Amino acid sequence: MFDQTRVSKQVWLTGQLMCWIVVLLAMNGICQAADHPNIIIVYADDLGFGDLSCYNSEAPYKTPRLDQMAAEGIRFTDAHSPSTICSPSRYGLFSGQQIFRSTGRGGGAFEGPGGPSYLKPGTLTVAQMLQQEGYRTGVFGKWHVGLSWFDKDGKRLGGGFENSLLIDYEKSTPLIDGPNTRGFDESFVTPNCPNTDPLYVYIENGMVATPASQRHDPKSLPNPGGKWRWDNDAGWMSPGYDFMNADLLFFEKTKAFITEHRQATPDKPFFAVLSTQIAHAPVLPAEEFNGATEAGPRADFIWELDVLVGRVLDLVKELGIDEQTLVLFNSDNGAETLHVNWMRHDHQHDPSDGWRGMKRDAWEGGHRVPFIARWPGHIPSRQVSAQMTNTTDIFATLASVVGVSLPDSAATDSFDMLPVMMGQQNESQSIRPHLLTQSFRGEFQIRQGSWKYLDHQGSGGNNYDVKNMQEWAIPEKAPDAAGQLYNLDDDPGETNNLYFTKEAKRKELQALLAKLKASGRSAPKNRTPFRTLVPSAR
């Protein structure tokens, strides 16, 4: 006989059980969100290894807030950018991969309406990974990984000066491959270098409020020191575009994103990237920073960067989230050639800090960069690590922070550096068995321990025969060699090419490079998040 009372009771119990499951899942989500730290990346531009006083005690100026950040966390002394120029390094930051994974070889720096994006559809970005973990994400400042712009006929435009005036903004926006289609909930960016390239516009959430319609005259800007305005193109700009206060604007946008997020959804973590133009040419410190140091306009510019980092650190303290916020600081490549030249001559300051080379070069000065991480209560203070690492490693490290096991198809050149940051890795045991970098022309370099092989002749970037570079040229001891082999322990200046004398090591590294290029990855498969294995160092 059908028992309606019994069935109703079973339905009621099932409903109650389902409610409790929903509640428990929701509570678990809150716990996960609470366990996930907020994450901020400050990504500097053309900042050399020796440009911070915590790296270079001989610098003719100080960077007290970055020095503080390093003292309160970890400073890496063997950190590298994926490339020796802007756009490919930014691809490495966002994708966890070397640029040849996207292009097949190298990758230039975009100018004007250049594109499409190096971040192709289907490439998992670090922002998308964090979005999937419940983060609200934002990027503010220099984008520079390529964008798709179209003319009135719907034809995709290439880069350059003339094409900047051909953009049809109605057909081009919202951008099909801008930050908001690559994992960022909010964005306020410039397409390329904010103060250098021939397309000067602000892009907010994929839209351009004020198209570029005016010709920019570089002579309208201050010219500190008589030369530091160099590389400010006479391009096309939006009316009201602010060259002098670009980084202050980017910081204010970052601050607003963080503050408003904390007010609206304090239980949800955020991920913010502050991508500065400092210290890229032209050197245009905001007015309040002019004369802040006694080492000229570029030092004033770096002082401005230091102040902005300090404001980021102060903001998280004011919001009461200091111990819940991981802050990373990194640079996209070494210092610009003329900047290195002028700083060495005018102020006895070496942005490369003794390493051979500078921006565009495959030698250490082109890609050895500052890397600092701070997370109170998790990253022990006053650590200095000689672990070999790459900007691409930020992806796997953040995945580890939030307990994500990355698919083998994603971030294929990214290694988890969290055990190093948390002080739980033996310094004598390298996380990375090898390290790939690429120079200006896309040529490859590979490190294995102290051994470095350059799969090309010369610098890989700059021409040391031109007048302003000749004095920094070093005679080649093996001019007939097709490549270069150095032992950085014995020869940190990369002056003694062992290509012929250490043939076995050279062939070993050549074979390893060929294998890593052909395999589609340099990172291990089946990566397990370190943070799920080891508790935090509180």
Side-chain angles (χ1 to χ4, degrees):
M1 183 176 180
F2 180 72
D3 189 341
Q4 185 175 3
T5 302
R6 183 180 179 184
V7 170
S8 297
K9 186 174 182 180
Q10 288 176 337
V11 170
W12 180 83
L13 288 171
T14 302
Q16 290 292 99
L17 178 61
M18 292 301 296
C19 286
W20 275 109
I21 290 173
V22 169
V23 169
L24 289 171
L25 287 173
M27 289 178 66
N28 185 50
I30 292 172
C31 291
Q32 286 179 340
D35 188 53
H36 288 0
N38 307 302
I39 301 167
I40 301 172
I41 298 176
V42 181
Y43 199 47
D45 200 342
D46 290 7
L47 191 78
F49 182 83
D51 274 328
L52 305 182
S53 52
C54 56
Y55 280 88
N56 179 8
S57 61
E58 301 299 318
Y61 55 86
K62 298 297 182 184
T63 50
R65 299 309 302 271
L66 280 157
D67 293 1
Q68 171 199 343
M69 181 179 168
E72 294 174 348
I74 185 169
R75 175 171 63 89
F76 288 86
T77 60
D78 199 358
H80 300 264
S81 57
S83 172
T84 60
I85 55 171
C86 305
S87 299
S89 285
R90 280 166 169 71
Y91 171 80
L93 170 66
F94 293 126
S95 71
Q97 300 180 151
Q98 291 293 139
I99 189 61
F100 77 98
R101 308 292 185 195
S102 174
T103 65
R105 183 162 173 77
F110 293 103
E111 294 185 1
S117 176
Y118 283 146
L119 295 167
K120 296 178 179 179
T123 299
L124 182 69
T125 69
V126 65
Q128 289 168 335
M129 181 270 292
L130 292 172
Q131 269 186 335
Q132 293 168 9
E133 285 298 300
Y135 279 75
R136 184 160 182 81
T137 59
V139 60
F140 311 94
K142 176 177 175 177
W143 181 239
H144 212 190
V145 288
L147 295 168
S148 293
W149 301 93
F150 302 93
D151 66 12
K152 60 182 178 58
D153 298 320
K155 180 183 177 182
R156 190 192 300 272
L157 292 166
F161 174 81
E162 299 294 340
N163 283 341
S164 295
L165 275 185
L166 300 179
I167 297 172
D168 186 308
Y169 288 91
E170 288 190 6
K171 285 186 168 62
S172 299
T173 58
L175 292 165
I176 61 172
D177 52 3
N180 294 72
T181 67
R182 297 296 185 266
F184 289 100
D185 297 303
E186 291 191 28
S187 64
F188 184 91
V189 300
T190 58
N192 306 313
C193 298
N195 286 353
T196 300
D197 292 329
L199 178 59
Y200 301 116
V201 294
Y202 297 127
I203 306 167
E204 188 160 20
N205 294 323
M207 303 299 295
V208 177
T210 310
S213 59
Q214 293 182 352
R215 181 70 182 271
H216 167 61
D217 180 6
K219 294 180 181 178
S220 66
L221 299 177
N223 191 12
K227 57 192 176 187
W228 291 97
R229 193 175 58 202
W230 167 76
D231 206 22
N232 177 226
D233 289 351
W236 300 99
M237 60 177 281
S238 301
Y241 188 89
D242 191 344
F243 289 86
M244 301 303 300
N245 296 297
D247 287 299
L248 294 179
L249 175 61
F250 300 151
F251 168 75
E252 289 301 326
K253 292 290 184 179
T254 306
K255 178 181 179 180
F257 166 76
I258 294 172
T259 304
E260 292 166 8
H261 170 80
R262 290 292 302 167
Q263 292 172 345
T265 52
D267 293 328
K268 186 175 182 178
F270 65 81
F271 171 56
V273 179
L274 171 57
S275 180
T276 77
Q277 67 166 338
I278 303 171
H280 196 286
V283 174
L284 298 173
E287 184 176 359
E288 66 184 275
F289 302 105
N290 280 325
T293 74
E294 296 181 356
R298 187 173 182 274
D300 296 344
F301 213 20
I302 294 172
W303 179 270
E304 178 179 351
L305 174 64
D306 187 70
V307 169
L308 293 180
V309 170
R311 290 177 183 177
V312 169
L313 299 179
D314 291 343
L315 176 63
V316 297
K317 285 188 176 182
E318 290 166 7
L319 294 174
I321 54 172
D322 195 28
E323 292 196 359
Q324 292 78 49
T325 304
L326 167 62
V327 183
L328 303 174
F329 179 88
N330 192 218
S331 175
D332 66 351
N333 47 249
E336 180 59 83
T337 54
L338 283 177
H339 289 186
V340 173
N341 198 12
W342 293 337
M343 291 303 288
R344 285 174 177 174
H345 281 288
D346 297 351
H347 302 287
Q348 295 73 55
H349 169 61
D350 183 7
S352 299
D353 197 27
W355 298 102
R356 186 181 184 184
M358 51 201 85
K359 179 179 179 178
R360 300 178 192 84
D361 291 339
W363 298 312
E364 290 295 287
H367 52 80
R368 189 178 286 242
V369 293
F371 183 33
I372 302 170
R374 176 187 183 274
W375 185 11
H378 297 265
I379 295 178
S381 63
R382 300 194 180 282
Q383 292 187 91
V384 179
S385 175
Q387 284 275 342
M388 187 168 60
T389 184
N390 191 303
T391 298
T392 56
D393 297 340
I394 289 175
F395 197 131
T397 302
L398 295 185
S400 187
V401 165
V402 298
V404 169
S405 296
L406 289 173
D408 290 340
S409 59
T412 56
D413 297 301
S414 189
F415 288 73
D416 180 5
M417 302 305 294
L418 188 60
V420 181
M421 292 181 180
M422 296 177 69
Q424 299 187 36
Q425 177 71 20
N426 188 329
E427 271 288 295
S428 66
Q429 298 176 349
S430 179
I431 292 282
R432 276 182 161 274
H434 39 64
L435 172 87
L436 285 176
T437 54
Q438 292 181 262
S439 56
F440 176 63
R441 294 190 290 264
E443 294 167 315
F444 288 92
Q445 306 80 46
I446 186 168
R447 276 273 306 280
Q448 185 186 60
S450 62
W451 288 99
K452 178 179 178 182
Y453 173 69
L454 294 79
D455 197 34
H456 55 87
Q457 294 181 321
S459 73
N462 294 305
N463 179 4
Y464 280 75
D465 291 330
V466 300
K467 184 177 180 180
N468 67 293
M469 299 293 288
Q470 287 174 354
E471 66 178 301
W472 313 120
I474 297 174
E476 175 57 62
K477 294 182 180 179
D480 297 328
Q484 301 166 69
L485 178 67
Y486 302 107
N487 187 315
L488 295 181
D489 280 351
D490 301 330
D491 181 25
E494 295 171 277
T495 61
N496 185 24
N497 188 356
L498 303 173
Y499 185 91
F500 294 120
T501 58
K502 296 292 183 180
E503 182 180 5
K505 175 56 70 172
R506 182 247 301 170
K507 288 184 176 180
E508 177 187 347
L509 292 179
Q510 287 173 326
L512 177 59
L513 174 59
K515 176 184 176 181
L516 296 180
K517 288 164 62 178
S519 68
R521 65 185 310 106
S522 63
K525 292 184 176 181
N526 302 313
R527 287 164 289 189
T528 301
F530 178 76
R531 198 175 177 218
T532 64
L533 302 176
V534 181
S536 63
R538 281 191 174 275

